[in-house]
Amino acid sequence: MTYQNFSLKQLQEMDAAHHLHPFTDHKDLRAAGSRMITHADGPFIYDSDGNEILDGMAGLWCVNVGYGRHELAEAAYAQMKELPYYNSFFRCSTPTPVLLAKKLAEIAPAGINQVFYGSSGSEANDTALRLVRHYWALEGKPKKNMIISRKNAYHGSTVAGTSLGGMAGMHGQLGGAVPNIVHVMMPYAYELALPGESEHDFGLRAAKAIEDAILEAGPDNVAAFIGEPVMGAGGVKIPPESYWPEVQRICRKYDVLLMLDEVITGYGRTGAWFAAQSMGIEPDMITTAKALTSGYQPLSALLVGDRVAGTVVEKGGEFYHGYTYAGHPVACAVALANLDIIEREGLIERVRDETGPYFRKALSDRLAGHDIVGQVRTIGLMGAIEIVKDKETRERFPGDGAAAVIVRDHAIANGMMMRATGDTMILSPPLIWTRDTIDMAVERIERALDSASLDLRK
Ligand code: PXG
């Protein structure tokens, strides 16, 4: 049974009848009908009406090598024929996750040599939370179990992910978060810097919020700090350069573990394998998923530093945690082939030296001046466009994010897929984008902004 036997309308009806989508107002979706994406190639996705859309989001921040990579399909096929599945419980292992773990240890920042697998970023963060608390208990400090995170952070949608994250709406529906997690201010200068405060000083102040939380709880009660190097779902919030080194200094000062959530930034997005390397910091743990397989298979890898792994191994005792699909051979085979493509095609160097700088210049030269754009910012191939009513005062349009949705809808109508979050438009394209693709994207976004401006100023 293939979908081609059905009309778009039939598919939409079945979708409405049987399929509950993630992060969706189901009533609203049923009224509008879903957009059916049927196939994809290179940087483009195609819908069932035959529209070609440039995918400015790499799926959901994950398809870093672009679509249509037969090599990845072949890696999965070969692995499925040889060994589709076996678990890594009960003293068993399979070769493919072992080879991948070794590869990940090679590319990870200094001092990180062990991997714990899962199938999603949420699962990896669940593991991270469990593991740091287990670590401190093994170290004889079971009370050192508070985790500090940030408001508006996104760390996934399981109970642990939601609790670690700082999204107010999600917390509102949780009915009880994992205890002992606190959230401090995010490093978002555009809205939170004080009048006259430099980016540098703002970065230090945002880091100090972590120190204040540590001191308030007492350092003996704080296990770890977790943060996305660049907040993704929260609106591509790129911290000032002063922020991360100061966060690391504070964590070290109070012996608080530093956990980076690189589910979005991992595997090339910022022009290095990991943003930790772009920012010159050495975390104790890194959560990764998404671009590990470029989204061709669900897989996450929690990269665990020597300090935590050392204690867990040395002290022994079972860590009561793990998933059926931890180290899934097919997903790991796809990951190995995907990392090989990233390396062989020099995608990371290209982002760092060529497309990243070109992307930044294109957005700032051609979009920053637009009458409804308050700011553009980029790092590597990740960007944000702030939608405002008044460029000078930074006043937003009324409707709490409704303006960005209008921009997004015009973007899609112009063949450009991008996401709106709050009043911010975000971009996180496949790393295969060239200068020409960036030019094409900017032209389409410009047209979308023009049309949106006409609508918004009516
Ligand atoms: N951490 C970060 C930083 C993420 O961006 C997760 C963890 C959770 O990963 P899984 O694989 O469990 O979804 C994510 C996921 C959005 C959006 O609207 C972003 C994500 C997921 C869904 C939507 O931008 N990021």
Side-chain angles (χ1 to χ4, degrees), residues 60-61 120-123 125 154-156 228 233 261 263-264 289-290 419:
L60 205 44
W61 320 82
S120 69
S122 301
E123 285 180 5
N125 279 326
Y154 191 79
H155 296 299
E228 302 152 82
D261 182 341
V263 166
I264 283 177
K290 294 194 190 273
R419 234 170 84 41

Side-chain angles (χ1 to χ4, degrees), residues 158-197:
T158 53
V159 173
T162 303
S163 305
L164 287 169
M167 300 272 178
M170 291 174 73
H171 279 262
Q173 293 178 345
L174 192 54
V178 172
N180 238 358
I181 299 173
V182 299
H183 299 86
V184 301
M185 74 183 285
M186 55 181 163
Y188 180 32
Y190 187 68
E191 280 196 350
L192 300 178
L194 301 169
E197 187 178 34

